[in-house]
Amino acid sequence: LNHCRNRGSEVLLGDLSHIHVWEQGGISQLGGVHPRTLRNLPDGTFSLEELRQLVRGDNPHWPVTSLVCVENTHNMAGGRVLPLRWLDELGATCRSLGLPVHMDGARLLNAAAALEVPPARLVRDCASVSVCLSKGLGAPVGSVVAGTKDFIRGALRLRKALGGGMRQAGVLAAAGIFALDHVAPALARDHAGVKKEEIKETGEEVIVRVLPMTASTVRLVVHCDIKPEDIPLVIKKLVYVIREFENE
């Protein structure tokens, strides 16, 4: 809403993006913003040539293309990290088109850990970014929107209009700061996975909770409370369940 101040503005975004699929069309309901989708590829990217073709100018018959949104990591693409080279090409393309880029970076710090680069490198060409503190970082609640001072000034006004103001938020902010200072540097551990080919038989009862995403896809997420020794047990349980289905 902060980027698309004029009603009838248009945002270009992936057809499997969280903003498009999981937010009840909020940009249209609340902001009068028109979404126009690009087909997400299996790695979470989309065609930059298609992006160029979909951009619309100030014709009275059309919405005005005002923003491009990307998601990193990409949830519906299996939590994949967007390739750094593609992000650079996206930035160059949007600069040439005069379009700002917003990154839905709920797990941006996980993407940075996976690529072994600073988070700032992933948003070098973005005008704004959102980061969640309560997922991989383990804070109890909270997200952060980052951008220029002018952008944040506008975001504060919108937050107030949407009823998002909060008193005595220092306790939550302190938890977020702790997560950034102490948990974020250890995210590489969550990405290490299991390197042994054989899974040790433990005989323990294992309960794994997964989220069904489609008819053939489920979602599993690790977080800072998951220990490295838990991963082999998860793999063992998944292998067991898959074999049970194969035997039916």
Side-chain angles (χ1 to χ4, degrees):
L1 304 186
N2 204 17
H3 284 292
C4 302
R5 288 288 182 157
N6 295 323
R7 295 185 67 84
S9 297
E10 180 174 78
V11 57
L12 300 180
L13 72 175
D15 63 343
L16 296 179
S17 66
H18 187 281
I19 294 173
H20 184 63
V21 177
W22 296 106
E23 294 184 358
Q24 206 184 114
I27 60 174
S28 299
Q29 287 196 60
L30 303 175
V33 180
H34 179 263
R36 196 175 194 197
T37 60
L38 303 98
R39 184 174 67 87
N40 273 125
L41 302 175
D43 63 354
T45 66
F46 45 73
S47 166
L48 298 181
E49 180 56 37
E50 183 184 2
L51 172 67
R52 294 186 189 93
Q53 293 174 3
L54 292 185
V55 174
R56 298 195 272 204
D58 190 5
N59 182 304
H61 298 89
W62 302 333
V64 178
T65 306
S66 304
L67 179 67
V68 175
C69 289
V70 295
E71 182 178 337
N72 197 16
T73 60
H74 198 290
N75 189 353
M76 294 294 287
R80 284 178 171 80
V81 177
L82 300 185
L84 192 56
R85 181 177 178 181
W86 183 83
L87 285 173
D88 291 344
E89 293 174 353
L90 172 74
T93 298
C94 289
R95 278 196 303 274
S96 69
L97 295 169
L99 290 174
V101 178
H102 170 73
M103 181 176 288
D104 179 354
R107 292 178 180 81
L108 177 72
L109 298 180
N110 290 85
L115 293 177
E116 299 182 344
V117 298
R121 176 64 180 85
L122 301 182
V123 296
R124 184 182 66 182
D125 296 314
C126 297
S128 60
V129 57
S130 59
V131 180
C132 185
L133 304 177
S134 62
K135 294 188 172 74
L137 297 185
V141 67
S143 295
V144 173
V145 175
T148 65
K149 289 183 178 179
D150 285 342
F151 180 85
I152 296 302
R153 203 159 18 242
L156 288 172
R157 290 187 61 83
L158 283 168
R159 186 188 69 177
K160 189 69 173 177
L162 295 171
M166 181 179 284
R167 304 287 191 275
Q168 293 81 39
V171 174
L172 299 179
I177 292 171
F178 181 91
L180 290 170
D181 289 343
H182 298 278
V183 182
L187 280 180
R189 181 199 65 186
D190 296 345
H191 291 253
V194 178
K195 299 180 181 178
K196 294 180 180 179
E197 294 183 2
E198 296 184 2
I199 303 171
K200 184 179 179 181
E201 294 291 336
T202 65
E204 298 182 43
E205 181 182 4
V206 181
I207 298 175
V208 180
R209 295 180 178 179
V210 301
L211 178 67
M213 302 295 284
T214 69
S216 60
T217 306
V218 297
R219 177 185 178 203
L220 298 96
V221 179
V222 296
H223 59 84
C224 59
D225 289 330
I226 301 296
K227 301 178 178 62
E229 55 266 29
D230 294 332
I231 303 300
L233 301 177
V234 174
I235 295 175
K236 176 184 175 182
K237 182 59 174 280
L238 293 177
V239 170
Y240 173 80
V241 171
I242 291 171
R243 287 175 178 168
E244 287 291 300
F245 275 105
E246 289 177 343
N247 292 334
E248 288 185 355

